[in-house]
mmCIF file of all heavy atoms in Angstrom:
data_model
loop_
_atom_site.group_PDB
_atom_site.id
_atom_site.type_symbol
_atom_site.label_atom_id
_atom_site.label_comp_id
_atom_site.label_asym_id
_atom_site.label_seq_id
_atom_site.Cartn_x
_atom_site.Cartn_y
_atom_site.Cartn_z
ATOM 1 N N ALA C 458 9.902 -13.847 -4.937
ATOM 2 C CA ALA C 458 9.875 -15.019 -4.068
ATOM 3 C C ALA C 458 8.432 -15.505 -3.879
ATOM 4 O O ALA C 458 8.157 -16.712 -3.904
ATOM 5 C CB ALA C 458 10.499 -14.698 -2.721
ATOM 6 N N LEU C 459 7.509 -14.584 -3.722
ATOM 7 C CA LEU C 459 6.105 -14.953 -3.552
ATOM 8 C C LEU C 459 5.548 -15.540 -4.848
ATOM 9 O O LEU C 459 4.756 -16.483 -4.820
ATOM 10 C CB LEU C 459 5.303 -13.714 -3.139
ATOM 11 C CG LEU C 459 3.890 -13.943 -2.600
ATOM 12 C CD1 LEU C 459 3.914 -14.818 -1.362
ATOM 13 C CD2 LEU C 459 3.234 -12.601 -2.286
ATOM 14 N N ALA C 460 5.989 -14.985 -5.977
ATOM 15 C CA ALA C 460 5.518 -15.487 -7.263
ATOM 16 C C ALA C 460 6.048 -16.885 -7.548
ATOM 17 O O ALA C 460 5.344 -17.730 -8.112
ATOM 18 C CB ALA C 460 5.935 -14.535 -8.381
ATOM 19 N N ALA C 461 7.289 -17.130 -7.139
ATOM 20 C CA ALA C 461 7.924 -18.408 -7.461
ATOM 21 C C ALA C 461 7.367 -19.558 -6.622
ATOM 22 O O ALA C 461 7.245 -20.688 -7.099
ATOM 23 C CB ALA C 461 9.430 -18.302 -7.257
ATOM 24 N N HIS C 462 7.023 -19.268 -5.366
ATOM 25 C CA HIS C 462 6.647 -20.342 -4.453
ATOM 26 C C HIS C 462 5.206 -20.253 -3.957
ATOM 27 O O HIS C 462 4.703 -21.208 -3.373
ATOM 28 C CB HIS C 462 7.590 -20.345 -3.250
ATOM 29 C CG HIS C 462 9.040 -20.356 -3.619
ATOM 30 N ND1 HIS C 462 9.624 -21.421 -4.260
ATOM 31 C CD2 HIS C 462 10.016 -19.429 -3.445
ATOM 32 C CE1 HIS C 462 10.909 -21.157 -4.454
ATOM 33 N NE2 HIS C 462 11.169 -19.963 -3.981
ATOM 34 N N GLY C 463 4.561 -19.108 -4.174
ATOM 35 C CA GLY C 463 3.207 -18.936 -3.659
ATOM 36 C C GLY C 463 3.180 -18.760 -2.161
ATOM 37 O O GLY C 463 2.140 -18.587 -1.549
ATOM 38 N N GLU C 464 4.349 -18.814 -1.542
ATOM 39 C CA GLU C 464 4.503 -18.659 -0.100
ATOM 40 C C GLU C 464 5.734 -17.797 0.151
ATOM 41 O O GLU C 464 6.525 -17.550 -0.749
ATOM 42 C CB GLU C 464 4.684 -20.011 0.586
ATOM 43 C CG GLU C 464 3.500 -20.955 0.452
ATOM 44 C CD GLU C 464 2.346 -20.569 1.355
ATOM 45 O OE1 GLU C 464 2.517 -19.658 2.179
ATOM 46 O OE2 GLU C 464 1.279 -21.188 1.230
ATOM 47 N N SER C 465 5.885 -17.349 1.369
ATOM 48 C CA SER C 465 7.075 -16.597 1.758
ATOM 49 C C SER C 465 7.426 -16.963 3.181
ATOM 50 O O SER C 465 6.562 -17.289 3.987
ATOM 51 C CB SER C 465 6.821 -15.091 1.652
ATOM 52 O OG SER C 465 7.854 -14.358 2.277
ATOM 53 N N SER C 466 8.716 -16.917 3.491
ATOM 54 C CA SER C 466 9.116 -17.148 4.875
ATOM 55 C C SER C 466 8.708 -15.982 5.761
ATOM 56 O O SER C 466 8.759 -16.058 6.978
ATOM 57 C CB SER C 466 10.642 -17.327 4.949
ATOM 58 O OG SER C 466 11.293 -16.100 4.630
ATOM 59 N N GLY C 467 8.293 -14.894 5.146
ATOM 60 C CA GLY C 467 7.940 -13.694 5.896
ATOM 61 C C GLY C 467 9.109 -12.756 6.029
ATOM 62 O O GLY C 467 8.925 -11.540 6.098
ATOM 63 N N ALA C 468 10.334 -13.282 6.067
ATOM 64 C CA ALA C 468 11.511 -12.443 6.254
ATOM 65 C C ALA C 468 11.738 -11.545 5.047
ATOM 66 O O ALA C 468 12.072 -10.368 5.201
ATOM 67 C CB ALA C 468 12.737 -13.314 6.512
ATOM 68 N N GLU C 469 11.560 -12.087 3.832
ATOM 69 C CA GLU C 469 11.778 -11.264 2.637
ATOM 70 C C GLU C 469 10.798 -10.093 2.593
ATOM 71 O O GLU C 469 11.176 -8.957 2.315
ATOM 72 C CB GLU C 469 11.616 -12.089 1.364
ATOM 73 C CG GLU C 469 12.550 -13.279 1.254
ATOM 74 C CD GLU C 469 11.846 -14.578 1.582
ATOM 75 O OE1 GLU C 469 10.910 -14.557 2.410
ATOM 76 O OE2 GLU C 469 12.223 -15.601 1.001
ATOM 77 N N ILE C 470 9.541 -10.399 2.866
ATOM 78 C CA ILE C 470 8.527 -9.348 2.814
ATOM 79 C C ILE C 470 8.718 -8.362 3.954
ATOM 80 O O ILE C 470 8.549 -7.147 3.772
ATOM 81 C CB ILE C 470 7.126 -9.975 2.839
ATOM 82 C CG1 ILE C 470 6.877 -10.732 1.535
ATOM 83 C CG2 ILE C 470 6.046 -8.922 3.068
ATOM 84 C CD1 ILE C 470 5.560 -11.464 1.468
ATOM 85 N N ALA C 471 9.087 -8.844 5.131
ATOM 86 C CA ALA C 471 9.332 -7.946 6.264
ATOM 87 C C ALA C 471 10.491 -7.004 5.963
ATOM 88 O O ALA C 471 10.435 -5.812 6.286
ATOM 89 C CB ALA C 471 9.621 -8.763 7.520
ATOM 90 N N ALA C 472 11.548 -7.514 5.344
ATOM 91 C CA ALA C 472 12.691 -6.671 4.979
ATOM 92 C C ALA C 472 12.282 -5.609 3.971
ATOM 93 O O ALA C 472 12.687 -4.439 4.074
ATOM 94 C CB ALA C 472 13.822 -7.534 4.417
ATOM 95 N N ALA C 473 11.479 -6.011 2.989
ATOM 96 C CA ALA C 473 11.008 -5.052 1.990
ATOM 97 C C ALA C 473 10.126 -3.990 2.633
ATOM 98 O O ALA C 473 10.231 -2.792 2.328
ATOM 99 C CB ALA C 473 10.249 -5.790 0.898
ATOM 100 N N LYS C 474 9.249 -4.433 3.529
ATOM 101 C CA LYS C 474 8.305 -3.504 4.171
ATOM 102 C C LYS C 474 9.034 -2.458 5.001
ATOM 103 O O LYS C 474 8.791 -1.252 4.872
ATOM 104 C CB LYS C 474 7.347 -4.297 5.055
ATOM 105 C CG LYS C 474 6.426 -3.470 5.961
ATOM 106 C CD LYS C 474 5.379 -2.711 5.178
ATOM 107 C CE LYS C 474 4.310 -2.100 6.069
ATOM 108 N NZ LYS C 474 4.797 -1.180 7.094
ATOM 109 N N VAL C 475 9.948 -2.883 5.856
ATOM 110 C CA VAL C 475 10.624 -1.923 6.724
ATOM 111 C C VAL C 475 11.550 -1.026 5.916
ATOM 112 O O VAL C 475 11.641 0.185 6.169
ATOM 113 C CB VAL C 475 11.381 -2.642 7.861
ATOM 114 C CG1 VAL C 475 12.569 -3.441 7.341
ATOM 115 C CG2 VAL C 475 11.834 -1.646 8.926
ATOM 116 N N SER C 476 12.226 -1.562 4.905
ATOM 117 C CA SER C 476 13.160 -0.753 4.122
ATOM 118 C C SER C 476 12.425 0.303 3.300
ATOM 119 O O SER C 476 12.808 1.476 3.273
ATOM 120 C CB SER C 476 13.992 -1.639 3.196
ATOM 121 O OG SER C 476 14.770 -2.551 3.935
ATOM 122 N N ALA C 477 11.354 -0.103 2.630
ATOM 123 C CA ALA C 477 10.617 0.833 1.791
ATOM 124 C C ALA C 477 9.920 1.913 2.611
ATOM 125 O O ALA C 477 9.924 3.096 2.238
ATOM 126 C CB ALA C 477 9.602 0.081 0.941
ATOM 127 N N CYS C 478 9.329 1.514 3.730
ATOM 128 C CA CYS C 478 8.609 2.493 4.551
ATOM 129 C C CYS C 478 9.561 3.458 5.248
ATOM 130 O O CYS C 478 9.269 4.658 5.359
ATOM 131 C CB CYS C 478 7.720 1.776 5.563
ATOM 132 S SG CYS C 478 6.282 0.980 4.799
ATOM 133 N N GLU C 479 10.706 2.978 5.698
ATOM 134 C CA GLU C 479 11.680 3.876 6.315
ATOM 135 C C GLU C 479 12.266 4.820 5.266
ATOM 136 O O GLU C 479 12.538 5.986 5.544
ATOM 137 C CB GLU C 479 12.780 3.074 6.993
ATOM 138 C CG GLU C 479 12.320 2.243 8.188
ATOM 139 C CD GLU C 479 11.891 3.088 9.389
ATOM 140 O OE1 GLU C 479 10.954 3.917 9.245
ATOM 141 O OE2 GLU C 479 12.480 2.935 10.456
ATOM 142 N N ALA C 480 12.465 4.315 4.046
ATOM 143 C CA ALA C 480 12.970 5.164 2.971
ATOM 144 C C ALA C 480 11.949 6.247 2.625
ATOM 145 O O ALA C 480 12.315 7.404 2.374
ATOM 146 C CB ALA C 480 13.290 4.322 1.742
ATOM 147 N N ALA C 481 10.672 5.881 2.597
ATOM 148 C CA ALA C 481 9.624 6.866 2.309
ATOM 149 C C ALA C 481 9.563 7.933 3.401
ATOM 150 O O ALA C 481 9.404 9.130 3.115
ATOM 151 C CB ALA C 481 8.277 6.173 2.170
ATOM 152 N N CYS C 482 9.698 7.518 4.651
ATOM 153 C CA CYS C 482 9.687 8.483 5.756
ATOM 154 C C CYS C 482 10.910 9.392 5.700
ATOM 155 O O CYS C 482 10.827 10.589 6.011
ATOM 156 C CB CYS C 482 9.618 7.749 7.092
ATOM 157 S SG CYS C 482 7.973 7.108 7.472
ATOM 158 N N SER C 483 12.054 8.850 5.308
ATOM 159 C CA SER C 483 13.251 9.670 5.143
ATOM 160 C C SER C 483 13.049 10.706 4.042
ATOM 161 O O SER C 483 13.412 11.882 4.200
ATOM 162 C CB SER C 483 14.452 8.774 4.806
ATOM 163 O OG SER C 483 15.603 9.560 4.531
ATOM 164 N N ALA C 484 12.436 10.283 2.935
ATOM 165 C CA ALA C 484 12.133 11.223 1.856
ATOM 166 C C ALA C 484 11.139 12.286 2.320
ATOM 167 O O ALA C 484 11.236 13.454 1.929
ATOM 168 C CB ALA C 484 11.588 10.471 0.648
ATOM 169 N N ALA C 485 10.179 11.900 3.163
ATOM 170 C CA ALA C 485 9.197 12.854 3.682
ATOM 171 C C ALA C 485 9.859 13.878 4.593
ATOM 172 O O ALA C 485 9.553 15.079 4.519
ATOM 173 C CB ALA C 485 8.091 12.104 4.438
ATOM 174 N N ARG C 486 10.756 13.426 5.455
ATOM 175 C CA ARG C 486 11.469 14.360 6.333
ATOM 176 C C ARG C 486 12.317 15.332 5.525
ATOM 177 O O ARG C 486 12.378 16.535 5.827
ATOM 178 C CB ARG C 486 12.337 13.586 7.329
ATOM 179 C CG ARG C 486 11.559 12.882 8.424
ATOM 180 C CD ARG C 486 12.478 12.358 9.519
ATOM 181 N NE ARG C 486 13.390 11.339 9.024
ATOM 182 C CZ ARG C 486 13.127 10.043 9.023
ATOM 183 N NH1 ARG C 486 11.952 9.612 9.476
ATOM 184 N NH2 ARG C 486 14.009 9.174 8.585
ATOM 185 N N THR C 487 12.987 14.830 4.497
ATOM 186 C CA THR C 487 13.803 15.681 3.645
ATOM 187 C C THR C 487 12.933 16.694 2.910
ATOM 188 O O THR C 487 13.274 17.878 2.816
ATOM 189 C CB THR C 487 14.586 14.825 2.630
ATOM 190 O OG1 THR C 487 15.452 13.942 3.337
ATOM 191 C CG2 THR C 487 15.402 15.691 1.692
ATOM 192 N N ALA C 488 11.799 16.240 2.396
ATOM 193 C CA ALA C 488 10.882 17.134 1.696
ATOM 194 C C ALA C 488 10.373 18.240 2.622
ATOM 195 O O ALA C 488 10.335 19.419 2.262
ATOM 196 C CB ALA C 488 9.710 16.339 1.123
ATOM 197 N N LEU C 489 10.003 17.854 3.820
ATOM 198 C CA LEU C 489 9.481 18.824 4.784
ATOM 199 C C LEU C 489 10.560 19.833 5.160
ATOM 200 O O LEU C 489 10.319 21.045 5.235
ATOM 201 C CB LEU C 489 8.979 18.083 6.026
ATOM 202 C CG LEU C 489 8.264 18.918 7.091
ATOM 203 C CD1 LEU C 489 7.016 19.560 6.529
ATOM 204 C CD2 LEU C 489 7.917 18.044 8.286
ATOM 205 N N HIS C 490 11.768 19.350 5.380
ATOM 206 C CA HIS C 490 12.873 20.214 5.797
ATOM 207 C C HIS C 490 13.235 21.213 4.690
ATOM 208 O O HIS C 490 13.398 22.415 4.946
ATOM 209 C CB HIS C 490 14.095 19.366 6.154
ATOM 210 C CG HIS C 490 15.295 20.161 6.532
ATOM 211 N ND1 HIS C 490 15.442 20.768 7.756
ATOM 212 C CD2 HIS C 490 16.427 20.456 5.832
ATOM 213 C CE1 HIS C 490 16.598 21.406 7.801
ATOM 214 N NE2 HIS C 490 17.225 21.227 6.651
ATOM 215 N N LEU C 491 13.356 20.740 3.461
ATOM 216 C CA LEU C 491 13.828 21.601 2.382
ATOM 217 C C LEU C 491 12.743 22.537 1.848
ATOM 218 O O LEU C 491 13.049 23.576 1.263
ATOM 219 C CB LEU C 491 14.387 20.755 1.239
ATOM 220 C CG LEU C 491 15.628 19.923 1.607
ATOM 221 C CD1 LEU C 491 16.192 19.220 0.378
ATOM 222 C CD2 LEU C 491 16.707 20.804 2.240
ATOM 223 N N HIS C 492 11.476 22.169 2.046
ATOM 224 C CA HIS C 492 10.405 23.090 1.668
ATOM 225 C C HIS C 492 10.197 24.168 2.726
ATOM 226 O O HIS C 492 9.447 25.123 2.495
ATOM 227 C CB HIS C 492 9.088 22.333 1.441
ATOM 228 C CG HIS C 492 8.977 21.725 0.086
ATOM 229 N ND1 HIS C 492 9.613 20.536 -0.241
ATOM 230 C CD2 HIS C 492 8.310 22.111 -1.035
ATOM 231 C CE1 HIS C 492 9.340 20.223 -1.495
ATOM 232 N NE2 HIS C 492 8.555 21.144 -1.998
ATOM 233 N N GLY C 493 10.809 24.009 3.895
ATOM 234 C CA GLY C 493 10.678 25.009 4.937
ATOM 235 C C GLY C 493 9.261 25.118 5.459
ATOM 236 O O GLY C 493 8.511 24.135 5.492
ATOM 237 N N ALA C 494 8.856 26.349 5.860
ATOM 238 C CA ALA C 494 7.519 26.541 6.425
ATOM 239 C C ALA C 494 6.435 26.163 5.432
ATOM 240 O O ALA C 494 5.334 25.740 5.820
ATOM 241 C CB ALA C 494 7.351 27.996 6.856
ATOM 242 N N LEU C 495 6.732 26.268 4.143
ATOM 243 C CA LEU C 495 5.762 25.907 3.117
ATOM 244 C C LEU C 495 5.357 24.445 3.221
ATOM 245 O O LEU C 495 4.224 24.077 2.923
ATOM 246 C CB LEU C 495 6.356 26.191 1.731
ATOM 247 C CG LEU C 495 5.449 25.998 0.510
ATOM 248 C CD1 LEU C 495 4.295 26.987 0.554
ATOM 249 C CD2 LEU C 495 6.242 26.164 -0.772
ATOM 250 N N GLY C 496 6.288 23.592 3.657
ATOM 251 C CA GLY C 496 6.019 22.170 3.748
ATOM 252 C C GLY C 496 4.999 21.790 4.806
ATOM 253 O O GLY C 496 4.447 20.687 4.775
ATOM 254 N N TYR C 497 4.736 22.688 5.745
ATOM 255 C CA TYR C 497 3.798 22.392 6.821
ATOM 256 C C TYR C 497 2.349 22.715 6.455
ATOM 257 O O TYR C 497 1.442 22.386 7.210
ATOM 258 C CB TYR C 497 4.174 23.205 8.078
ATOM 259 C CG TYR C 497 5.365 22.657 8.818
ATOM 260 C CD1 TYR C 497 6.639 23.131 8.547
ATOM 261 C CD2 TYR C 497 5.226 21.661 9.785
ATOM 262 C CE1 TYR C 497 7.744 22.631 9.225
ATOM 263 C CE2 TYR C 497 6.317 21.158 10.462
ATOM 264 C CZ TYR C 497 7.572 21.646 10.178
ATOM 265 O OH TYR C 497 8.666 21.140 10.846
ATOM 266 N N THR C 498 2.131 23.370 5.330
ATOM 267 C CA THR C 498 0.784 23.808 4.992
ATOM 268 C C THR C 498 -0.022 22.684 4.349
ATOM 269 O O THR C 498 0.465 21.993 3.454
ATOM 270 C CB THR C 498 0.832 25.002 4.022
ATOM 271 O OG1 THR C 498 1.481 24.601 2.804
ATOM 272 C CG2 THR C 498 1.620 26.150 4.630
ATOM 273 N N GLU C 499 -1.264 22.527 4.789
ATOM 274 C CA GLU C 499 -2.121 21.499 4.220
ATOM 275 C C GLU C 499 -2.572 21.854 2.809
ATOM 276 O O GLU C 499 -2.943 20.977 2.033
ATOM 277 C CB GLU C 499 -3.350 21.286 5.114
ATOM 278 C CG GLU C 499 -3.034 20.592 6.425
ATOM 279 C CD GLU C 499 -4.277 20.129 7.140
ATOM 280 O OE1 GLU C 499 -5.380 20.257 6.555
ATOM 281 O OE2 GLU C 499 -4.170 19.647 8.277
ATOM 282 N N GLU C 500 -2.542 23.144 2.471
ATOM 283 C CA GLU C 500 -2.951 23.550 1.131
ATOM 284 C C GLU C 500 -1.979 23.050 0.065
ATOM 285 O O GLU C 500 -2.352 22.866 -1.094
ATOM 286 C CB GLU C 500 -3.065 25.079 1.050
ATOM 287 C CG GLU C 500 -4.209 25.678 1.847
ATOM 288 C CD GLU C 500 -3.923 25.724 3.344
ATOM 289 O OE1 GLU C 500 -2.754 25.494 3.721
ATOM 290 O OE2 GLU C 500 -4.862 25.981 4.119
ATOM 291 N N LEU C 501 -0.737 22.845 0.440
ATOM 292 C CA LEU C 501 0.260 22.342 -0.500
ATOM 293 C C LEU C 501 0.028 20.851 -0.727
ATOM 294 O O LEU C 501 -0.096 20.068 0.220
ATOM 295 C CB LEU C 501 1.668 22.566 0.064
ATOM 296 C CG LEU C 501 2.842 22.225 -0.856
ATOM 297 C CD1 LEU C 501 2.916 23.213 -2.010
ATOM 298 C CD2 LEU C 501 4.149 22.239 -0.076
ATOM 299 N N ASP C 502 -0.040 20.443 -1.985
ATOM 300 C CA ASP C 502 -0.300 19.026 -2.296
ATOM 301 C C ASP C 502 0.749 18.110 -1.694
ATOM 302 O O ASP C 502 0.458 16.943 -1.399
ATOM 303 C CB ASP C 502 -0.349 18.825 -3.815
ATOM 304 C CG ASP C 502 -1.621 19.366 -4.431
ATOM 305 O OD1 ASP C 502 -2.583 19.627 -3.683
ATOM 306 O OD2 ASP C 502 -1.664 19.531 -5.667
ATOM 307 N N LEU C 503 1.941 18.627 -1.479
ATOM 308 C CA LEU C 503 3.013 17.808 -0.902
ATOM 309 C C LEU C 503 2.590 17.180 0.417
ATOM 310 O O LEU C 503 3.018 16.072 0.757
ATOM 311 C CB LEU C 503 4.259 18.671 -0.685
ATOM 312 C CG LEU C 503 5.504 17.947 -0.191
ATOM 313 C CD1 LEU C 503 6.164 17.210 -1.348
ATOM 314 C CD2 LEU C 503 6.490 18.936 0.428
ATOM 315 N N SER C 504 1.722 17.854 1.166
ATOM 316 C CA SER C 504 1.295 17.345 2.469
ATOM 317 C C SER C 504 0.573 16.004 2.338
ATOM 318 O O SER C 504 0.591 15.187 3.268
ATOM 319 C CB SER C 504 0.376 18.352 3.168
ATOM 320 O OG SER C 504 -0.846 18.511 2.445
ATOM 321 N N LEU C 505 -0.067 15.755 1.192
ATOM 322 C CA LEU C 505 -0.779 14.490 0.989
ATOM 323 C C LEU C 505 0.199 13.327 0.972
ATOM 324 O O LEU C 505 -0.109 12.238 1.470
ATOM 325 C CB LEU C 505 -1.569 14.539 -0.317
ATOM 326 C CG LEU C 505 -2.571 15.687 -0.461
ATOM 327 C CD1 LEU C 505 -3.237 15.636 -1.828
ATOM 328 C CD2 LEU C 505 -3.614 15.641 0.647
ATOM 329 N N TRP C 506 1.364 13.544 0.409
ATOM 330 C CA TRP C 506 2.393 12.509 0.363
ATOM 331 C C TRP C 506 3.081 12.362 1.722
ATOM 332 O O TRP C 506 3.308 11.241 2.180
ATOM 333 C CB TRP C 506 3.430 12.852 -0.706
ATOM 334 C CG TRP C 506 3.060 12.493 -2.100
ATOM 335 C CD1 TRP C 506 3.447 11.385 -2.799
ATOM 336 C CD2 TRP C 506 2.227 13.238 -2.988
ATOM 337 N NE1 TRP C 506 2.917 11.392 -4.065
ATOM 338 C CE2 TRP C 506 2.153 12.518 -4.214
ATOM 339 C CE3 TRP C 506 1.526 14.436 -2.891
ATOM 340 C CZ2 TRP C 506 1.441 12.963 -5.313
ATOM 341 C CZ3 TRP C 506 0.797 14.885 -3.980
ATOM 342 C CH2 TRP C 506 0.757 14.154 -5.167
ATOM 343 N N ILE C 507 3.380 13.490 2.354
ATOM 344 C CA ILE C 507 4.083 13.450 3.642
ATOM 345 C C ILE C 507 3.249 12.719 4.695
ATOM 346 O O ILE C 507 3.764 11.876 5.444
ATOM 347 C CB ILE C 507 4.415 14.884 4.098
ATOM 348 C CG1 ILE C 507 5.504 15.484 3.201
ATOM 349 C CG2 ILE C 507 4.880 14.889 5.560
ATOM 350 C CD1 ILE C 507 5.822 16.933 3.512
ATOM 351 N N ARG C 508 1.962 13.019 4.764
ATOM 352 C CA ARG C 508 1.115 12.415 5.797
ATOM 353 C C ARG C 508 0.898 10.929 5.535
ATOM 354 O O ARG C 508 0.789 10.137 6.469
ATOM 355 C CB ARG C 508 -0.204 13.163 5.885
ATOM 356 C CG ARG C 508 -0.017 14.625 6.278
ATOM 357 C CD ARG C 508 -1.311 15.361 6.451
ATOM 358 N NE ARG C 508 -1.944 15.022 7.724
ATOM 359 C CZ ARG C 508 -2.938 15.712 8.260
ATOM 360 N NH1 ARG C 508 -3.402 16.785 7.640
ATOM 361 N NH2 ARG C 508 -3.474 15.348 9.399
#
Side-chain angles (χ1 to χ4, degrees):
L459 194 60
H462 309 294
E464 297 284 353
S465 168
S466 67
E469 301 102 329
I470 291 177
K474 171 69 169 58
V475 68
S476 298
C478 288
E479 294 292 59
C482 284
S483 175
R486 287 191 296 269
T487 299
L489 186 61
H490 177 77
L491 296 186
H492 278 79
L495 185 64
Y497 284 93
T498 62
E499 289 193 5
E500 291 76 12
L501 186 69
D502 286 344
L503 185 78
S504 66
L505 304 178
W506 278 261
I507 290 176
R508 298 183 77 166

